[in-house]
mmCIF file of all heavy atoms in Angstrom:
data_model
loop_
_atom_site.group_PDB
_atom_site.id
_atom_site.type_symbol
_atom_site.label_atom_id
_atom_site.label_comp_id
_atom_site.label_asym_id
_atom_site.label_seq_id
_atom_site.Cartn_x
_atom_site.Cartn_y
_atom_site.Cartn_z
ATOM 1 N N ASP A 339 10.770 8.850 12.552
ATOM 2 C CA ASP A 339 11.432 8.967 13.860
ATOM 3 C C ASP A 339 11.684 7.661 14.457
ATOM 4 O O ASP A 339 12.798 7.353 14.749
ATOM 5 C CB ASP A 339 10.550 9.761 14.916
ATOM 6 C CG ASP A 339 10.458 11.247 14.498
ATOM 7 O OD1 ASP A 339 11.416 11.719 13.904
ATOM 8 O OD2 ASP A 339 9.273 11.809 14.779
ATOM 9 N N TYR A 344 16.075 1.956 12.447
ATOM 10 C CA TYR A 344 16.340 0.361 12.501
ATOM 11 C C TYR A 344 16.503 -0.178 11.080
ATOM 12 O O TYR A 344 16.472 -1.355 10.902
ATOM 13 C CB TYR A 344 15.220 -0.281 13.305
ATOM 14 C CG TYR A 344 15.287 0.159 14.753
ATOM 15 C CD1 TYR A 344 14.339 1.228 15.216
ATOM 16 C CD2 TYR A 344 16.220 -0.191 15.698
ATOM 17 C CE1 TYR A 344 14.401 1.703 16.514
ATOM 18 C CE2 TYR A 344 16.161 0.268 16.945
ATOM 19 C CZ TYR A 344 15.313 1.222 17.436
ATOM 20 O OH TYR A 344 15.351 1.704 18.726
ATOM 21 N N GLY A 345 16.410 0.616 10.077
ATOM 22 C CA GLY A 345 16.628 0.197 8.747
ATOM 23 C C GLY A 345 15.565 -0.713 8.149
ATOM 24 O O GLY A 345 15.914 -1.672 7.321
ATOM 25 N N LEU A 354 7.004 -8.498 8.114
ATOM 26 C CA LEU A 354 6.601 -8.618 9.643
ATOM 27 C C LEU A 354 5.115 -9.253 9.610
ATOM 28 O O LEU A 354 4.765 -10.067 10.409
ATOM 29 C CB LEU A 354 6.468 -7.307 10.331
ATOM 30 C CG LEU A 354 7.959 -6.652 10.587
ATOM 31 C CD1 LEU A 354 7.716 -5.272 11.095
ATOM 32 C CD2 LEU A 354 8.621 -7.461 11.765
ATOM 33 N N HIS A 357 4.992 -12.853 8.340
ATOM 34 C CA HIS A 357 5.520 -13.810 9.222
ATOM 35 C C HIS A 357 4.425 -14.048 10.370
ATOM 36 O O HIS A 357 4.146 -15.130 10.766
ATOM 37 C CB HIS A 357 6.720 -13.269 9.850
ATOM 38 C CG HIS A 357 7.743 -14.367 10.148
ATOM 39 N ND1 HIS A 357 8.960 -14.069 10.251
ATOM 40 C CD2 HIS A 357 7.574 -15.650 10.584
ATOM 41 C CE1 HIS A 357 9.729 -15.243 10.544
ATOM 42 N NE2 HIS A 357 8.779 -16.167 10.676
ATOM 43 N N ASP A 406 12.656 -11.810 4.487
ATOM 44 C CA ASP A 406 11.922 -13.097 4.923
ATOM 45 C C ASP A 406 10.715 -12.762 5.697
ATOM 46 O O ASP A 406 10.723 -11.883 6.615
ATOM 47 C CB ASP A 406 12.856 -13.941 5.857
ATOM 48 C CG ASP A 406 14.175 -14.275 5.224
ATOM 49 O OD1 ASP A 406 14.706 -13.474 4.495
ATOM 50 O OD2 ASP A 406 14.686 -15.346 5.631
ATOM 51 N N ARG B 318 16.025 11.282 14.504
ATOM 52 C CA ARG B 318 15.750 12.783 14.479
ATOM 53 C C ARG B 318 15.547 13.253 15.984
ATOM 54 O O ARG B 318 14.719 12.671 16.813
ATOM 55 C CB ARG B 318 14.369 13.172 13.886
ATOM 56 C CG ARG B 318 14.407 12.670 12.432
ATOM 57 C CD ARG B 318 13.508 13.466 11.548
ATOM 58 N NE ARG B 318 12.207 13.089 11.850
ATOM 59 C CZ ARG B 318 11.034 13.495 11.137
ATOM 60 N NH1 ARG B 318 11.231 14.051 9.957
ATOM 61 N NH2 ARG B 318 9.793 13.255 11.626
ATOM 62 N N SER B 374 6.811 -10.510 16.013
ATOM 63 C CA SER B 374 7.059 -10.893 14.688
ATOM 64 C C SER B 374 8.441 -10.290 14.098
ATOM 65 O O SER B 374 8.895 -9.354 14.794
ATOM 66 C CB SER B 374 6.009 -10.476 13.611
ATOM 67 O OG SER B 374 6.022 -11.215 12.410
ATOM 68 N N PHE B 375 8.896 -10.836 13.068
ATOM 69 C CA PHE B 375 10.200 -10.385 12.653
ATOM 70 C C PHE B 375 10.352 -10.642 11.136
ATOM 71 O O PHE B 375 9.708 -11.506 10.547
ATOM 72 C CB PHE B 375 11.402 -10.933 13.341
ATOM 73 C CG PHE B 375 11.706 -12.450 13.160
ATOM 74 C CD1 PHE B 375 12.621 -12.739 12.139
ATOM 75 C CD2 PHE B 375 10.927 -13.338 13.733
ATOM 76 C CE1 PHE B 375 12.893 -14.086 11.856
ATOM 77 C CE2 PHE B 375 11.113 -14.717 13.535
ATOM 78 C CZ PHE B 375 12.124 -15.063 12.577
ATOM 79 N N SER B 376 11.207 -9.920 10.419
ATOM 80 C CA SER B 376 11.558 -10.105 9.223
ATOM 81 C C SER B 376 13.124 -9.879 8.987
ATOM 82 O O SER B 376 13.764 -9.162 9.701
ATOM 83 C CB SER B 376 10.815 -9.071 8.211
ATOM 84 O OG SER B 376 11.272 -9.257 6.884
ATOM 85 N N TYR B 392 19.937 -8.441 8.296
ATOM 86 C CA TYR B 392 19.835 -8.129 9.750
ATOM 87 C C TYR B 392 18.306 -8.116 10.036
ATOM 88 O O TYR B 392 17.470 -8.396 9.046
ATOM 89 C CB TYR B 392 20.264 -6.702 10.047
ATOM 90 C CG TYR B 392 19.645 -5.682 9.013
ATOM 91 C CD1 TYR B 392 18.437 -4.894 9.559
ATOM 92 C CD2 TYR B 392 20.199 -5.263 7.842
ATOM 93 C CE1 TYR B 392 17.985 -3.913 8.533
ATOM 94 C CE2 TYR B 392 19.630 -4.326 7.060
ATOM 95 C CZ TYR B 392 18.591 -3.597 7.438
ATOM 96 O OH TYR B 392 18.042 -2.568 6.588
ATOM 97 N N PRO B 438 17.697 1.833 21.538
ATOM 98 C CA PRO B 438 17.430 0.607 22.180
ATOM 99 C C PRO B 438 17.306 -0.438 21.023
ATOM 100 O O PRO B 438 16.547 -0.264 20.043
ATOM 101 C CB PRO B 438 15.973 0.779 22.790
ATOM 102 C CG PRO B 438 15.700 2.336 22.721
ATOM 103 C CD PRO B 438 16.496 2.912 21.560
#
Side-chain angles (χ1 to χ4, degrees):
Chain A
D339 289 329
Y344 298 102
L354 289 170
H357 217 150
D406 302 35
Chain B
R318 302 199 299 191
S374 192
F375 70 97
S376 178
Y392 57 94

